[in-house]
């Protein structure tokens, strides 16, 4: 049995702030400790013993991993893995969700040779297809700087390094976690239907286990 625990970092925005899409080029610190500590407590309460702890080299991921260590009273050091640094949102880096959707709608209109002299409100009516496709099937919106095959390859190579009877935790970001499901012999559509999408919350825990050479998702987007 091999166990891979995937953790998303804690909050980088206060409740009164408007969040933006923060990618790998923006190194924000955490604004709270509650979620990281809740993950550590979750491990203790569920008698999960970690052999190794990895984190992407960003303040938010490193700080969350350290909070897990502190709360669970672990002795391991954090192993930095740059392969799991958050994706690059390109022109949407540090933009609000509405700004992102507006840009993507305009791209859609242009690609489909539709009239552009309509209001922003009308543009938004063309739906949320780009974002919903991202949240259900990991379809990367136009303009984002993401090499999907390389991220999936990193997940597979990382999982292959886990030894038998070893439990490994990695703290990374939402954009990277979306590409973990290909570890399974299952398509995104069925995975999304079973788990309510592939987007995960801040401070969430997802657990994959490998028995007899086959990975299975035991938990997805658990909020301790």
């Amino acid at each position: 049995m091999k166990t891979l625990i995937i953790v998303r970092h804690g909050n980088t925005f206060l409740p009164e702030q408007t969040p933006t899409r923060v990618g790998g080029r923006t190194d924000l610190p955490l604004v709270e400790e509650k979620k990281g500590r809740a993950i550590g407590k979750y491990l203790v309460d569920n008698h999960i013993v970690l052999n190794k702890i990895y984190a992407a080299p960003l303040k938010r991921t490193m700080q969350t991993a350290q909070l897990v260590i502190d709360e669970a009273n672990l002795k391991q050091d954090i192993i930095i893995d740059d392969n799991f640094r958050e994706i690059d949102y390109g022109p949407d880096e540090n933009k609000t969700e509405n700004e992102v959707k507006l840009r993507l709608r305009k791209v859609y209109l242009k690609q489909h040779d539709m009239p552009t002299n309509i209001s922003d409100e009308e543009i938004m009516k063309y739906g949320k297809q780009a974002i919903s496709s991202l949240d259900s099937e990991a379809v990367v919106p136009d303009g984002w700087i993401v090499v999907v095959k390389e991220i999936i390859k990193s997940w597979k190579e990382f999982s292959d390094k886990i030894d038998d009877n070893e439990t490994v935790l990695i703290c990374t970001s939402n954009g990277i976690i979306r590409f973990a499901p290909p570890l399974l012999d299952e398509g995104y559509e069925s995975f999304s239907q079973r788990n309510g999408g592939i987007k995960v919350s801040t401070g969430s825990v997802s657990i994959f286990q490998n028995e007899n050479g086959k990975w299975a998702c035991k938990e997805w987007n658990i909020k301790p």
Side-chain angles (χ1 to χ4, degrees), residues 27-136:
D27 197 7
L28 294 182
L30 297 177
V31 295
E32 49 81 26
E33 295 187 354
K34 182 178 179 180
K35 293 195 172 183
R37 293 193 179 279
I39 295 168
K41 187 174 186 303
Y42 173 87
L43 298 178
V44 173
D45 290 346
N46 287 276
H47 310 290
I48 298 173
V49 179
L50 300 180
N51 298 104
K52 294 174 185 173
I53 302 171
Y54 291 82
L58 294 169
K59 292 174 184 175
R60 54 192 184 270
T61 46
M62 294 287 289
Q63 289 172 349
T64 301
Q66 189 60 55
L67 289 167
V68 172
I69 289 172
D70 293 345
E71 188 66 24
N73 196 28
L74 303 174
K75 304 303 179 185
Q76 293 95 332
D77 292 326
I78 298 170
I79 304 170
I80 298 173
D81 194 327
D82 195 52
N83 289 319
F84 296 97
R85 178 188 291 267
E86 177 61 303
I87 63 175
D88 189 329
Y89 291 111
D92 295 325
E93 183 84 7
N94 289 316
K95 296 295 172 58
T96 66
E97 203 67 0
N98 279 342
E99 290 174 317
V100 173
K101 290 175 183 176
L102 182 58
R103 184 191 72 83
L104 292 174
R105 296 290 107 30
K106 289 180 177 179
V107 169
Y108 177 87
L109 294 181
K110 185 175 181 180
Q111 289 176 340
H112 292 78
D113 197 27
M114 300 178 74
T116 57
N117 60 338
I118 57 179
S119 68
D120 289 348
E121 183 178 353
E122 285 295 313
I123 292 174
M124 294 294 274
K125 282 185 179 179
Y126 284 101
K128 303 174 182 178
Q129 186 57 47
I131 299 301
S132 65
S133 293
L134 173 70
D135 290 342
S136 63

Side-chain angles (χ1 to χ4, degrees), residues 133-161:
S133 293
L134 173 70
D135 290 342
S136 63
E137 301 174 54
V139 177
V140 178
D142 184 83
W144 292 10
I145 306 169
V146 183
V147 183
V148 173
K149 289 182 179 180
E150 288 300 314
I151 300 175
I152 293 174
K153 180 183 176 184
S154 292
W155 276 117
K156 291 185 175 179
E157 289 179 346
F158 183 81
S159 65
D160 285 343
K161 291 190 301 183

